[in-house]
Amino acid sequence: MSAVLALLCSLTWGTSDFLGGLLSRRLPAAAVVGASQVVGLVAMTVTLLVVAALGHPVPFDRWAEWAPYAVAAGATGSVALAAFYAGLSAGTMGVVAPIAATGAAVPVLLGVLTGDQPTTLAWAGMAIAVLGTILASGPELRGGVSARPVLLAVVAAVGFGTVLFLVARGSHVSTVATLWGMRLTSTTLYVVLALRLGTVGGTRAGDLRWLLPIGLGDLGANALFATASGLGMVSVVAVLASLYPVVTTLLARVLLHERLQRIQVVGVVVSLAGVAALSVA
């Protein structure tokens, strides 16, 4: 069951990312992220109330132990997701998604700075992921093709990895509280930005059919991952969940008819192998 849930997690994440990137081709990436975060906040608030009703209230009395991580994760995640959607909308999804997934190396590096001692497999995974990124992005940077999507993917990778680190720290106290605080922070930032600019980026009520699966998909994938991790081996669950770029790549290939050069295909596979090694480590 844990393996099935982990695969559903990768399917949900990959589909949500594809839809977010696709919608960002019509609307500003920041607007897509902001609106989807509102959806996520509403869903997370309902979850928080349900959990409290079941006898597990949010530890607001210990807010100093989880709130700083939640706020930092919300701010960092907002920038990372906006960069990711912008990269997906402007570049080749089959290249951008695997590069962003290499952010799994960031928690390892941050862990080193806070006293962790990564295994040999973790270091090898980082090296493999970097090599795959170079192979996959090389053709994107030649022949007059803009480097912007690749650079946005790198920004997203660093941001996503940092969020993983922050959420892990906050979850030592409360996972639900940390995720709720994260969504509250990101939503607040985008509301303030919308008020300052006097626009919601062109989003309309009709876009809700896109924003609902994007926002709920991201939140649902987190829930699936947490559940799967509690039922089975975290190493196996992490590897299966890290396959979400494959879903994004396949959807782009089937629905958008994207084509990758042979060296890019090799790079994508190598990048995912590196992410898998990091997940196991």
Coordinates of all heavy atoms in Angstrom, one line a residue, residues 110-147:
L110 N 22.5 21.6 3.4 CA 22.1 22.4 4.6 C 22.3 21.5 5.8 O 22.7 22.0 6.9 CB 20.6 22.8 4.5 CG 20.3 23.9 3.4 CD1 18.8 24.2 3.3 CD2 21.1 25.2 3.7
G111 N 22.1 20.2 5.7 CA 22.3 19.3 6.8 C 23.7 19.3 7.2 O 24.1 19.2 8.4
V112 N 24.6 19.4 6.2 CA 26.1 19.4 6.5 C 26.4 20.6 7.3 O 27.2 20.5 8.3 CB 26.9 19.4 5.2 CG1 28.4 19.6 5.5 CG2 26.7 18.0 4.5
L113 N 25.8 21.7 7.0 CA 26.1 23.0 7.7 C 25.6 23.0 9.1 O 26.0 23.8 9.9 CB 25.5 24.2 6.9 CG 26.0 24.4 5.5 CD1 25.3 25.6 4.8 CD2 27.5 24.7 5.6
T114 N 24.6 22.1 9.4 CA 24.0 22.0 10.7 C 24.5 20.8 11.5 O 23.9 20.4 12.5 CB 22.5 22.1 10.7 OG1 22.0 21.0 9.8 CG2 22.0 23.4 10.2
G115 N 25.5 20.1 10.9 CA 26.1 19.0 11.7 C 25.9 17.6 11.2 O 26.4 16.7 11.7
D116 N 25.1 17.5 10.1 CA 24.9 16.2 9.5 C 26.1 15.6 8.8 O 27.0 16.4 8.4 CB 23.7 16.2 8.5 CG 22.4 16.4 9.2 OD1 22.3 16.3 10.5 OD2 21.4 16.7 8.5
Q117 N 26.2 14.3 8.7 CA 27.2 13.7 7.9 C 26.7 12.8 6.9 O 26.3 11.6 7.1 CB 28.1 12.9 8.9 CG 28.9 13.7 9.9 CD 29.8 12.9 10.8 OE1 29.6 11.7 10.9 NE2 30.7 13.5 11.5
P118 N 26.5 13.3 5.6 CA 25.9 12.6 4.5 C 26.7 11.3 4.2 O 27.9 11.2 4.4 CB 25.9 13.5 3.4 CG 26.1 14.9 4.0 CD 26.9 14.7 5.2
T119 N 26.0 10.3 3.8 CA 26.6 9.0 3.4 C 27.3 9.2 2.0 O 27.1 10.2 1.3 CB 25.6 7.9 3.3 OG1 24.7 8.2 2.2 CG2 24.9 7.7 4.6
T120 N 28.1 8.2 1.7 CA 28.8 8.2 0.3 C 27.7 8.2 -0.8 O 27.9 8.9 -1.8 CB 29.7 7.0 0.2 OG1 30.6 7.0 1.2 CG2 30.4 7.0 -1.2
L121 N 26.6 7.5 -0.6 CA 25.6 7.5 -1.6 C 24.9 8.8 -1.8 O 24.6 9.2 -2.9 CB 24.5 6.5 -1.1 CG 23.3 6.3 -2.1 CD1 23.8 5.8 -3.4 CD2 22.3 5.3 -1.5
A122 N 24.8 9.6 -0.7 CA 24.2 11.0 -0.8 C 25.1 11.9 -1.7 O 24.7 12.6 -2.6 CB 24.0 11.6 0.6
W123 N 26.4 11.8 -1.4 CA 27.4 12.6 -2.2 C 27.4 12.1 -3.7 O 27.4 13.0 -4.6 CB 28.8 12.5 -1.6 CG 29.0 13.2 -0.3 CD1 29.2 12.7 0.9 CD2 28.9 14.6 -0.1 NE1 29.3 13.6 1.8 CE2 29.1 14.8 1.3 CE3 28.7 15.7 -1.0 CZ2 29.1 16.1 1.8 CZ3 28.7 17.0 -0.4 CH2 28.9 17.2 1.0
A124 N 27.3 10.8 -3.9 CA 27.3 10.3 -5.2 C 26.0 10.7 -5.9 O 26.0 11.1 -7.1 CB 27.4 8.8 -5.2
G125 N 24.9 10.7 -5.2 CA 23.6 11.1 -5.8 C 23.7 12.6 -6.3 O 23.1 12.9 -7.3
M126 N 24.3 13.5 -5.5 CA 24.4 14.9 -5.8 C 25.2 15.0 -7.1 O 24.9 15.8 -8.0 CB 25.0 15.7 -4.7 CG 24.0 16.0 -3.6 SD 24.6 17.1 -2.3 CE 25.7 16.0 -1.4
A127 N 26.3 14.3 -7.2 CA 27.2 14.4 -8.3 C 26.5 13.9 -9.6 O 26.6 14.5 -10.7 CB 28.5 13.5 -8.1
I128 N 25.7 12.8 -9.4 CA 25.0 12.2 -10.6 C 23.9 13.2 -11.0 O 23.7 13.4 -12.2 CB 24.4 10.9 -10.2 CG1 25.5 9.8 -9.9 CG2 23.4 10.4 -11.3 CD1 25.0 8.5 -9.3
A129 N 23.2 13.8 -10.1 CA 22.2 14.8 -10.4 C 22.7 16.0 -11.1 O 22.1 16.5 -12.1 CB 21.4 15.2 -9.1
V130 N 23.9 16.5 -10.7 CA 24.5 17.6 -11.4 C 24.9 17.2 -12.8 O 24.7 18.0 -13.7 CB 25.7 18.1 -10.6 CG1 26.5 19.1 -11.4 CG2 25.3 18.7 -9.3
L131 N 25.5 16.1 -12.9 CA 25.9 15.6 -14.3 C 24.6 15.5 -15.2 O 24.7 15.9 -16.4 CB 26.5 14.2 -14.2 CG 26.9 13.5 -15.5 CD1 27.8 14.4 -16.3 CD2 27.4 12.1 -15.3
G132 N 23.6 14.9 -14.7 CA 22.3 14.8 -15.5 C 21.8 16.2 -15.9 O 21.3 16.4 -17.0
T133 N 21.9 17.2 -15.0 CA 21.4 18.5 -15.3 C 22.2 19.1 -16.4 O 21.7 19.8 -17.3 CB 21.5 19.4 -14.0 OG1 20.7 18.9 -13.0 CG2 21.1 20.8 -14.3
I134 N 23.5 18.9 -16.4 CA 24.4 19.5 -17.4 C 24.0 18.8 -18.8 O 23.9 19.5 -19.8 CB 25.9 19.2 -17.1 CG1 26.3 20.0 -15.8 CG2 26.8 19.6 -18.3 CD1 27.6 19.7 -15.3
L135 N 23.8 17.5 -18.8 CA 23.5 16.8 -20.0 C 22.2 17.3 -20.6 O 22.0 17.5 -21.8 CB 23.5 15.3 -19.8 CG 24.9 14.7 -19.5 CD1 24.7 13.2 -19.2 CD2 25.9 14.9 -20.6
A136 N 21.2 17.4 -19.7 CA 19.8 17.7 -20.1 C 19.7 19.2 -20.5 O 18.9 19.5 -21.5 CB 18.8 17.5 -19.0
S137 N 20.4 20.1 -19.9 CA 20.3 21.5 -20.2 C 21.2 22.0 -21.2 O 21.0 23.1 -21.8 CB 20.5 22.3 -18.9 OG 21.8 22.1 -18.4
G138 N 22.3 21.2 -21.5 CA 23.3 21.7 -22.5 C 22.6 22.1 -23.8 O 22.9 23.3 -24.3
P139 N 21.8 21.3 -24.5 CA 21.2 21.7 -25.8 C 20.3 22.9 -25.6 O 20.1 23.6 -26.6 CB 20.4 20.4 -26.2 CG 21.1 19.3 -25.5 CD 21.6 19.9 -24.2
E140 N 19.7 23.1 -24.4 CA 18.8 24.2 -24.2 C 19.6 25.5 -24.3 O 19.0 26.6 -24.5 CB 18.1 24.1 -22.9 CG 17.2 22.9 -22.8 CD 15.9 23.0 -23.6 OE1 15.2 24.0 -23.3 OE2 15.7 22.2 -24.5
L141 N 20.9 25.5 -24.0 CA 21.7 26.7 -23.9 C 22.5 27.0 -25.2 O 23.2 27.9 -25.2 CB 22.7 26.5 -22.7 CG 22.1 26.3 -21.3 CD1 23.2 26.1 -20.3 CD2 21.2 27.4 -20.9
R142 N 22.3 26.1 -26.2 CA 23.0 26.3 -27.5 C 22.0 26.6 -28.6 O 20.8 26.5 -28.4 CB 23.8 25.1 -27.8 CG 24.9 24.7 -26.8 CD 25.9 23.8 -27.5 NE 25.2 22.6 -27.9 CZ 25.1 21.5 -27.2 NH1 25.6 21.5 -26.0 NH2 24.5 20.4 -27.7
G143 N 22.5 27.1 -29.7 CA 21.7 27.3 -30.8 C 20.7 28.5 -30.7 O 19.6 28.5 -31.3
G144 N 21.0 29.4 -29.9 CA 20.1 30.6 -29.7 C 19.0 30.4 -28.8 O 18.1 31.3 -28.7
V145 N 18.9 29.3 -28.1 CA 17.8 29.0 -27.2 C 18.1 29.8 -25.9 O 19.2 29.7 -25.4 CB 17.6 27.5 -27.0 CG1 16.5 27.3 -26.0 CG2 17.3 26.8 -28.3
S146 N 17.0 30.4 -25.4 CA 17.2 31.2 -24.1 C 17.6 30.3 -23.0 O 17.1 29.2 -22.8 CB 15.9 31.9 -23.8 OG 16.0 32.5 -22.6
A147 N 18.5 30.8 -22.1 CA 18.9 30.1 -20.9 C 18.0 30.3 -19.8 O 18.1 29.7 -18.8 CB 20.3 30.5 -20.5

